[in-house]
Amino acid sequence: MNSKNEILSRLRQRGSPAREDNAPQWEDKDLFADFPGPSDNLIDIFSHQLNKLSGDFHLVNNKEEMVKTLKSLLEDSEPEQCKAHKSPLIDELKMLGPEIRDYLTFIDGDEISSEEFERLEVGITGADCLIARTGSILLHTVSAGGRRLSVLPPTHIVIAEEKQIVPSLDEAFNTLDHDQDIWSYATIITGPSRTSDIEKQLVLGAHGPKKLIVLIIKS
Amino acid sequence: MSELSQFLKQSRLLSRDENHRLKILKAISTYDEKVDEIKTGQFKDWQQARLTAAEIKEYVLDHLPSLLEEFEEKISSRGVEVLWARDKEEAQKYFVEIATRHQAKKVVKSKSMTTEEIEFNELCHDNGIEVIESDLGELIVQLADEKPYHIVTPAMHKSKAEIGKLFQERLGAPETDNAEQLTMIAREHLRKTYITSDIGVTGANFIVAREGALVLTENEGNGRLTMSCPPIHVAIVGIEKVLPCLSDLSLFLPLLATSGTGQQLTGYNSIIRGPRQNGESDGPEKMYVILLDNGRSKLFKKDRFRSILRCIRCGACLNACPVYRTVGGHTYHTPYQGPIGSVITPQFRGMENWSHLAFASSLCAACSSVCPVNINIHELLLENRWEAHQKSRTGIAWNIGLKFWAWTMSGRLRLNILSRMGRYTYRLLLPFLSHSKRKRIPDIPSKSFKDMWKKYEQQK
């Protein structure tokens, strides 16, 4: 008998029969507390939670303002140290603002070595959705330009729209469920990279991004 | 030295090491504060949440064979090779085959308890493969030539100063005892490793059956880098880690983060469905999943023990355990320490050498009260004691003694006589007993409880 069959047959030998044929169901609102923070506006909750995690939050009214904010954020870096993922929104910003065009070189379609990624200062990506309750960002390889762009550069900038904010993790997974894209990897990012492995003292920027900046445009 | 004498020697040593106890106390009280805050802040009903989680895990255990097959079918459709390992030796064999096939010389690894279980680092060493731990805590214990002290916080026993000295000696780093600077030294040390390694090795916190995915929880980003940069990804996962579907994560991720580190969610929760797919810009070319049994399926025959397979390895029972806090993680001499280790180690590795762990407990049930999947850990410790007792051939004197004890305790008069005798004997021996160096023996009160009660009743 091969190992798989041997293991499975041992798992089938059980003392008592299975009790339920259907997985237990539960409601998010029965288990989790009501929203934290001062108001029940999703943007407020999200920014409150992200700030608590030492992430930076910027809310802008329109795309022109977004270009300005992005410009001021990128000013200190060299254009060749920044790369972006070609999402429809980022593409539009690039068309709109010649002053930031050089900073938004798209990585898509190029074979870029990890050495080159390692030298970058800033990675700019979109997101699938933002989760208000935990201040998190959900993104996957198709929506955010692969695995390395959002983790190797020391600064990660996320550009998203207000309508992408969902209240809870539960609803975030629903958006993923209906996703037909063939992505191999998704991640829920909650704050910049952190560690408490040395005497339980919190330090930001362990291996991933030291800075996490979220820019949201009002819908 | 036998495991038992090793345990006794170590615990004698460490329980009297004030410096060690202070470090552990400090770490665990920081943890306790954060957990309390998040538990009440995040959950409306923590008890209901853990009961629900327990129910979901029971459902999983009831349907484990079909859920594992569903996972295998889904994830292999995206090009992942799934390998089933009966035991440590088979898992090791699979990995050596993979490393040989891809001519791997250098491996970067994120934190994983299954790799501790199969002694992965020793395996690589014996096969001439360099392996580098990327989790900060794991890196510290690897550089110190030690084993992890705790399943979640591997370097809990090391002070900033000790880590500074270690980095100075092993990495040639400048002297410092600043946690931030030390973290940055580790960051710089590891950055090149991710991009020069041939294989990235990880564990997984969950296996998702319906969507065919693995889930990895972490804070540092080392796991993400380990799965993103090297051309090969190997994940070694225990077969009990299954959840039915992705939406179950919306309960289990907050639950694990709350009990594990006192966070709402950990920094990164990654869902891995395969290697790089057509149309993706990066990711490993090939991915393997090694499903590790190594004793787990044996527990299916024992109904009472099966519930221990709900465990999500959060480490809460270690932090709560007065024995763990006193004797420290290394004393257990096993990959899994504390109450969870004392339940599964004798079961996985045999009663002969490991039953003493089940006795290293006060049965206070602190472990059961903090468990996020509601396992009655202390009852399983008792079960282990029962099994050990049944297997032991010695103990005739013990049996007679207990029978005598039961006989005395079951009659009021017999109990009165014995306790009176006990008091007198104790008084006589007291001068000798109090010579003990480490304990002060309390005096016997002049009145017994029975007498005090009588008086109290009269006065009422």
Side-chain angles (χ1 to χ4, degrees), chain A residues 1-8 10-26 28-34 36 49 52-53 107-112 114-115 117-118 120 131 133-136 138-139 141-142 145-154 156 169-171 173-174 176-177 179-210, chain B residues 26-27 30-31 34 40-45 48-49 52 55-56 58-59 62-65 68-69 72 84-86 90 94 134-138 140 152-156 158-161 163 179-180 182-184 186-187 190-192 194-195 211 219-222 224-225 227-229 239 244 246-251 253-254 263-277 280-284 291 293 297-298 300-301 303 306:
Chain A
M1 192 155 40
N2 69 19
S3 304
K4 177 183 170 182
N5 290 337
E6 196 179 315
I7 294 168
L8 289 178
R10 270 205 295 264
L11 295 181
R12 287 190 186 102
Q13 283 171 13
R14 26 182 333 241
S16 57
R19 285 165 304 174
E20 292 287 338
D21 276 339
N22 296 312
Q25 299 297 312
W26 54 279
D28 188 90
K29 63 173 170 35
D30 295 336
L31 305 184
F32 289 94
D34 299 330
Q49 295 296 82
K52 267 211 311 205
L53 294 158
I107 56 150
D108 306 71
D110 272 347
E111 280 294 328
I112 302 172
S114 287
E115 282 81 1
F117 262 114
E118 213 261 291
L120 293 183
I131 303 152
R133 184 194 278 149
T134 55
S136 313
L138 172 67
L139 48 81
T141 35
V142 176
R147 302 190 189 202
R148 293 171 299 179
L149 184 63
S150 56
V151 70
L152 262 173
H156 178 202
L169 206 50
D170 199 28
E171 288 180 51
F173 284 124
N174 285 340
L176 258 190
D177 260 355
D179 202 336
Q180 294 305 307
D181 286 333
I182 305 292
W183 49 268
S184 66
Y185 178 94
T187 189
I188 303 160
I189 298 171
T190 310
S193 159
R194 58 195 54 227
T195 185
S196 301
D197 274 353
I198 298 176
E199 290 195 12
K200 285 272 168 196
Q201 189 180 324
L202 180 70
V203 179
L204 296 182
H207 298 287
K210 298 176 184 180
Chain B
K26 190 179 158 204
T30 314
Y31 162 90
K34 286 199 281 180
T40 45
Q42 167 150 256
F43 290 93
K44 184 182 281 172
D45 191 339
Q48 193 54 43
T52 308
E55 259 179 58
I56 295 172
E58 281 298 316
Y59 168 85
D62 274 347
H63 300 84
L64 196 52
L68 281 169
E69 284 183 303
E72 183 186 27
W84 300 68
R86 269 173 290 213
E90 199 171 13
Y94 288 140
S134 58
D135 172 82
L136 178 56
E138 293 283 349
I140 294 167
V152 176
T153 326
M156 191 192 250
K158 291 254 184 267
S159 70
K160 284 185 261 200
I163 296 164
E180 195 164 345
L182 289 168
T183 306
M184 290 312 130
R187 181 182 169 104
L190 283 171
R191 272 189 91 75
K192 291 276 183 281
Y194 298 113
I195 53 184
E211 286 84 0
N219 272 308
E220 298 180 4
N222 62 307
R224 292 183 67 194
L225 289 161
M227 295 181 289
S228 300
C229 299
I239 51 168
L246 215 49
S247 60
D248 292 310
L249 291 174
S250 48
L251 173 59
L253 294 179
Q263 290 172 283
Q264 250 197 316
L265 272 187
T266 50
Y268 303 115
N269 288 287
S270 301
I271 301 161
I272 310 104
R273 302 203 301 178
R276 178 181 185 175
Q277 306 290 301
E280 283 185 313
S281 58
D282 57 11
L291 292 174
D293 180 347
S297 63
K298 269 197 304 195
F300 265 69
K301 262 192 249 168
D303 257 7
R306 213 187 60 156

Side-chain angles (χ1 to χ4, degrees), chain B residues 4 17 28 30 128 167 271 277 298 357 400 429 442:
Chain B
L4 171 61
D17 181 341
I28 294 182
T30 314
F167 281 7
I271 301 161
Q277 306 290 301
K298 269 197 304 195
L357 293 183
I400 294 172
L429 290 175

